[in-house]
Amino acid sequence: MMALLGTGLLSAVLVSPLLSIFVPVAVESGPSALSGALMYFYGDFIGQLVVAPALAWLAFEPARPARLRSMALDMLLQLGAVLIVFALLARNPELAPYLLMLMFTPLFYIGFRQGWEGAALAVTLIGVAIEVFRQQSLLPANVTLLQVVLAVTGAAALLLGAAATALRRSHGTLAQRHQQLAAVNQELAAVANELRQVSQRLVRLQEHGQRELASALEYELGQSISALGTRISLAFRETRDEHAMRLLESLREQVRECQDSLRRALRQLRPAILDSLGLREALARGPLYEMVDDAGAEFESHC
């Protein structure tokens, strides 16, 4: 919007001196290049101010029925303000300094409410109304004064509307990104839940595998070692040979060491107390308790 208004202002500044030279305007004090340039400047700038934003809205902005109804109501408000002010000025022209600005006050409300599109249509409406009243010689105020006020207030309303439109669009974009982030967060939560379930299944499979392996080792290897130890004990009782007794004693000690090693391995792999009495008792009387007790320290657990 600032680029559009700046282009119109620059064009009016460049063209108005040439028009005042080649098409001089007669004022009360006679032809004046400066006065003519200012009159052409205001005329050209207001012409672009009235027409260009409205054409841009018609060309580039999609019209929605609900938006059109809302803008039509605001245009009726602006037209009512113009007609009321002109009617009062027709009866009392001396009130122009007090009532003239009231005609332009709805511009700022419409610009803030409808954005630059509403401000563009309102400025066009005011410009057309002023031109119609001027053509019918019903304009009670000075045309130059109306041009100055329309140029200032119209440009300010368009800039305010453009700022409001940009703010609403940024809020809309931010809300859309929040929705996208919320959707992504939901997807991440779903993926995390799936990963949690997969991890739980893996842990259950690992525990099941450890339980099966511990049971198989205890059933197969443990019974074999126990049977071997029993046979060695029986042979130790029956023999009388000193050398054989020493050999059997050594074998029995090795079998006991194998039993202890197997018991420790099974306890670390899957303590039997964990399956028989649960986690609380496994913590209180299981491998951790035995390890600390072997080190000569006291151990108590509270679950």
Side-chain angles (χ1 to χ4, degrees):
M1 184 56 63
M2 293 185 68
L4 181 63
L5 295 179
T7 303
L9 185 64
L10 181 61
S11 301
V13 169
L14 294 176
V15 173
S16 56
L18 299 177
L19 291 176
S20 65
I21 294 174
F22 293 102
V23 189
V25 178
V27 295
E28 297 179 357
S29 58
S32 173
L34 181 59
S35 299
L38 290 176
M39 292 181 66
Y40 279 122
F41 167 74
Y42 283 119
D44 293 342
F45 179 68
I46 291 174
Q48 297 181 69
L49 187 69
V50 169
V51 176
L55 290 179
W57 175 71
L58 292 174
F60 299 109
E61 292 297 328
R64 296 185 298 271
R67 182 71 182 280
L68 289 177
R69 288 193 296 268
S70 177
M71 293 180 68
L73 293 176
D74 289 338
M75 294 305 107
L76 290 178
L77 173 64
Q78 179 63 69
L79 182 60
V82 171
L83 294 177
I84 291 173
V85 170
F86 278 158
L88 293 175
L89 290 179
R91 294 185 178 182
N92 301 296
E94 66 275 4
L95 297 178
Y98 307 100
L99 298 178
L100 191 60
M101 288 301 297
L102 296 178
M103 182 177 63
F104 299 96
T105 50
L107 275 176
F108 300 101
Y109 168 74
I110 295 173
F112 177 77
R113 187 168 181 267
Q114 301 292 346
W116 71 270
E117 300 95 336
L121 293 183
V123 170
T124 303
L125 180 62
I126 293 177
V128 171
I130 292 175
E131 181 62 22
V132 170
F133 278 93
R134 189 186 69 82
Q135 293 290 341
Q136 299 297 326
S137 300
L138 299 176
L139 198 62
N142 189 1
V143 178
T144 305
L145 180 61
L146 285 177
Q147 286 181 334
V148 174
V149 176
L150 180 58
V152 174
T153 56
L158 286 171
L159 291 177
L160 176 63
T165 300
L167 185 61
R168 289 190 181 94
R169 288 178 178 175
S170 65
H171 283 180
T173 304
L174 185 61
Q176 184 179 4
R177 290 181 179 177
H178 277 293
Q179 292 177 357
Q180 293 175 354
L181 288 177
V184 171
N185 288 334
Q186 291 179 355
E187 293 178 359
L188 290 177
V191 172
N193 190 21
E194 293 178 0
L195 291 177
R196 188 181 301 110
Q197 294 177 0
V198 171
S199 300
Q200 292 174 356
R201 289 196 295 268
L202 290 176
V203 170
R204 286 195 294 269
L205 289 175
Q206 183 180 7
E207 291 180 351
H208 180 72
Q210 291 178 350
R211 187 185 301 113
E212 294 293 332
L213 180 59
S215 300
L217 287 176
E218 185 177 6
Y219 180 77
E220 298 290 340
L221 189 58
Q223 288 186 359
S224 299
I225 294 178
S226 297
L228 180 61
T230 302
R231 291 180 181 179
I232 291 176
S233 298
L234 293 176
F236 182 78
R237 292 177 182 180
E238 293 177 356
T239 186
R240 294 293 182 267
D241 187 4
E242 187 70 22
H243 178 71
M245 291 179 62
R246 287 196 300 270
L247 180 60
L248 291 174
E249 181 68 22
S250 176
L251 291 175
R252 188 166 60 178
E253 291 297 327
Q254 290 182 359
V255 169
R256 290 175 180 175
E257 291 179 359
C258 290
Q259 288 178 338
D260 292 337
S261 299
L262 179 62
R263 189 180 300 110
R264 286 194 299 269
L266 293 176
R267 190 171 56 205
Q268 293 177 359
L269 181 63
R270 183 73 181 184
I273 192 174
L274 180 62
D275 296 323
S276 58
L277 298 179
L279 179 61
R280 181 179 299 179
E281 291 299 325
L283 290 175
R285 300 298 174 184
L288 182 60
Y289 170 80
E290 295 178 0
M291 181 180 65
V292 177
D293 185 67
D294 292 340
E298 296 183 358
F299 172 77
E300 294 182 358
S301 63
H302 300 277
C303 301

